[in-house]
Amino acid sequence: MSCSPMPSDYHYVKLKSDCSRSSLQWYTQAQNKMRRPSLLLKVIFKYMLPVFGVCIILYIIKLNYTTEECDMKKVPYVDPDRIKRAQKYAQQVLQEKCRPNFAKKSMARLFETYKMDLLPFVKKAPRVNEAEYKYDPPFGFRQFSSKVQTLLEVLPEHDFPEHLKTKSCRRCVVIGSGGILHGLGLGHALNQFDVVIRLNSAPVEGYSEHVGNKTTIRMTYPEGAPLSDLEYYSNDLFVAVLFKSVDFNWLQAMVKNETLPFWVRLFFWKQVAEKIPLQPKHFRILNPVIIKETAFDILQYSEPQSRFWGRDKNIPTIGVIAIVLATHLCDEVSFAGFGYDLSQPDTPLHYFDNLCMAAMNFQTMHNVTTETQFLLKLVKAQVVKDLSGGIHCEF
Ligand SMILES: *[C@@H]1O[C@H](CO)[C@@H](O)[C@H](O)[C@H]1NC(C)=O
Ligand SMILES: *[C@@H]1O[C@H](CO)[C@@H](O)[C@H](O)[C@H]1NC(C)=O
Ligand SMILES: *[C@@H]1O[C@H](CO)[C@@H](O)[C@H](O)[C@H]1NC(C)=O
């Protein structure tokens, strides 16, 4: 088990203090010097990790006091013509005929290794599904099989809910956190999709004109789960992305409406939600094979070489994972709020906070270039629609 800093698509990017950096470098150097760490070193690592955690906490506290560089509380100016064209385009997408299985079939055509029958969520099964346990998290649950089994015992449902399954053709939209969403007034159009997938803590409250106020799926790792009860609607599915040992403890506590022990809380790199106001039947675990498929089969990243996640920039962002998930869940897929334009360092990174695009240059988990090329390929092949035009503008 490790308590190294977790990949966040927006908090980790700012973790560039000397504090976190030097610990990482120190670890790397130590690792290079000694192929097989001695017992002494192991003991040092074991006790260094909490110190490392404290570093991160101090840095996050510091983060809260940084200046407001790209403050999103002010709605940015967007050309009224562009707003009109975006809204018209979204309505046009909604009015096109829905083609059953279109997303899956198209993905299989584009990517030979795409598996059309992958389950979206982890399920109780009479036999262990080997693919789920082949890799360490986030690509699999190797060494976590007993924790997974325990969790599955407390989750009453593992499927897509019946009322969504019965619809003969589903249109889904994945809403990214991109600053490009702000000002386009797409909320009304986004609410008309059958399934609306939101990521991490991306809020609805205060932004619904631009991001809508319907949520069907909230997909997040523990640290990303919204802290405010207002962000949960009673019918949402909460889809957990699990990375580390304590993530399983956290999810179990949330499902059973129990209090997380204080010592467990120390292992998170950021404050985690204490209660999730949803019934147990609304929780799911993302099938880690979807992350594996996204990373190795679709983006063609190399398989993990080290214990430190993201050292190889081989962790897909949760946004890209959600788009691949959507192709498995839905017949037609659109997205909005995607696209990092690194050539515009002073533009807002997200629609809801004050980070600037430049922050993306400091993250160490994700290969933005590869992801952008992948999304561009999907949009150009007309497999998915880009409603805010941050990847490829069709309006
Ligand atoms: C979304 O907003 C509309 C209008 O503002 C409101 O009527 C509706 O109840 C809201 N839906 C949810 C799920 O909050
Ligand atoms: C969770 O427990 C609290 C009391 O600790 C209770 O007020 C709340 O209704 C419970 N929530 C659910 C979803 O059961
Ligand atoms: C991202 O992936 C591309 C290959 O698609 C590679 O050329 C590039 O070096 C990678 N970038 C980083 C920062 O690792």
Side-chain angles (χ1 to χ4, degrees):
M1 188 203 66
S2 160
C3 68
S4 60
M6 293 308 307
S8 153
D9 298 323
Y10 52 93
H11 284 105
Y12 191 77
V13 295
K14 286 272 263 189
L15 289 179
K16 52 180 162 135
S17 72
D18 294 332
C19 180
S20 54
R21 267 262 171 98
S22 58
S23 308
L24 257 181
Q25 275 163 1
W26 176 84
Y27 184 92
T28 316
Q29 281 163 6
Q31 211 181 26
N32 288 345
K33 255 186 227 147
M34 308 199 67
R35 280 258 164 82
R36 224 189 288 157
S38 65
L39 186 63
L40 178 66
L41 261 180
K42 275 189 192 159
V43 169
I44 292 175
F45 287 150
K46 195 168 163 194
Y47 292 100
M48 276 305 289
L49 286 174
V51 175
F52 190 43
V54 170
C55 270
I56 300 281
I57 290 163
L58 289 179
Y59 189 72
I60 286 167
I61 292 169
K62 203 175 89 193
L63 253 188
N64 290 338
Y65 293 96
T66 51
T67 50
E68 314 232 317
E69 294 149 323
C70 294
D71 192 353
M72 261 298 161
K73 302 235 161 48
K74 311 184 273 276
V75 178
Y77 173 79
V78 183
D79 176 5
D81 260 356
R82 183 175 151 76
I83 299 176
K84 251 187 240 156
R85 280 182 278 131
Q87 294 181 353
K88 196 171 150 209
Y89 179 68
Q91 288 305 332
Q92 192 185 315
V93 167
L94 281 160
Q95 274 148 27
E96 278 168 15
K97 195 164 170 288
C98 183
R99 296 159 290 185
N101 284 321
F102 174 75
K104 259 187 216 173
K105 284 192 199 150
S106 313
M107 287 297 281
R109 211 174 331 111
L110 283 183
F111 305 97
E112 276 172 32
T113 44
Y114 178 88
K115 291 206 177 55
M116 283 176 58
D117 54 358
L118 263 193
L119 291 178
F121 312 122
V122 180
K123 214 174 175 164
K124 249 187 268 181
R127 271 189 313 142
V128 169
N129 178 345
E130 278 172 32
E132 278 171 27
Y133 295 95
K134 182 161 177 222
Y135 297 94
D136 290 329
F139 310 109
F141 288 147
R142 182 158 66 189
Q143 294 175 23
F144 287 100
S145 86
S146 66
K147 288 206 156 206
V148 174
Q149 295 315 315
T150 313
L151 251 179
L152 287 175
E153 293 302 320
V154 299
L155 294 180
E157 292 183 22
H158 312 110
D159 259 334
F160 210 33
E162 219 42 55
H163 72 278
L164 292 168
K165 248 168 59 180
T166 49
K167 188 145 193 200
S168 63
C169 198
R170 289 189 288 269
R171 257 183 239 282
C172 299
V173 63
V174 180
I175 303 186
S177 303
I180 194 167
L181 259 181
H182 215 164
L184 285 183
L186 287 177
H188 176 68
L190 297 174
N191 284 342
Q192 294 170 53
F193 283 80
D194 301 308
V195 174
V196 178
I197 304 179
R198 293 187 198 274
L199 310 170
N200 294 333
S201 61
V204 163
E205 277 294 299
Y207 303 92
S208 60
E209 184 186 346
H210 307 290
V211 304
N213 66 351
K214 171 174 175 174
T215 304
T216 320
I217 290 180
R218 171 74 67 173
M219 178 168 149
T220 179
Y221 33 80
E223 290 91 342
L227 301 178
S228 160
D229 283 359
L230 296 175
E231 296 296 337
Y232 299 95
Y233 305 125
S234 58
N235 275 325
D236 296 5
L237 274 195
F238 185 97
V239 175
V241 185
L242 303 175
F243 284 86
K244 53 191 185 304
S245 185
V246 285
D247 292 359
F248 293 84
N249 302 45
W250 177 83
L251 185 59
Q252 185 165 339
M254 293 306 107
V255 175
K256 294 170 85 173
N257 195 16
E258 288 173 354
T259 304
L260 198 65
F262 174 73
W263 69 267
V264 174
R265 217 169 291 193
L266 293 178
F267 287 91
F268 295 100
W269 48 269
K270 163 175 186 298
Q271 185 190 0
V272 287
E274 291 179 16
K275 297 273 177 200
I276 306 275
L278 295 173
Q279 298 292 321
K281 68 174 186 192
H282 290 126
F283 289 87
R284 300 287 185 278
I285 305 170
L286 179 76
N287 182 356
V289 184
I290 301 254
I291 305 184
K292 178 257 171 195
E293 174 178 66
T294 308
F296 309 148
D297 304 337
I298 294 177
L299 298 173
Q300 308 211 310
Y301 290 157
S302 51
E303 299 198 4
Q305 303 296 318
S306 76
R307 274 165 56 75
F308 263 101
W309 295 300
R311 275 259 304 275
D312 318 311
K313 287 210 172 194
N314 69 350
I315 312 268
T317 54
I318 200 158
V320 165
I321 298 168
I323 289 173
V324 173
L325 171 70
T327 65
H328 287 286
L329 280 178
C330 311
D331 301 283
E332 298 267 3
V333 176
S334 295
F335 62 69
F338 276 77
Y340 295 117
D341 186 353
L342 299 181
S343 70
Q344 304 277 326
D346 300 327
T347 54
L349 180 62
H350 299 131
Y351 70 81
F352 54 85
D353 59 21
N354 55 20
L355 295 181
C356 295
M357 196 65 74
M360 231 24 226
N361 291 321
F362 298 102
Q363 60 82 29
T364 57
M365 296 281 164
H366 317 297
N367 187 324
V368 173
T369 317
T370 308
E371 291 200 355
T372 307
Q373 281 165 357
F374 162 64
L375 295 178
L376 191 59
K377 181 171 174 172
L378 293 190
V379 177
K380 285 196 165 165
Q382 313 244 350
V383 175
V384 300
K385 301 284 180 6
D386 180 1
L387 303 181
S388 54
I391 296 290
H392 181 67
C393 197
E394 302 255 15
F395 50 84

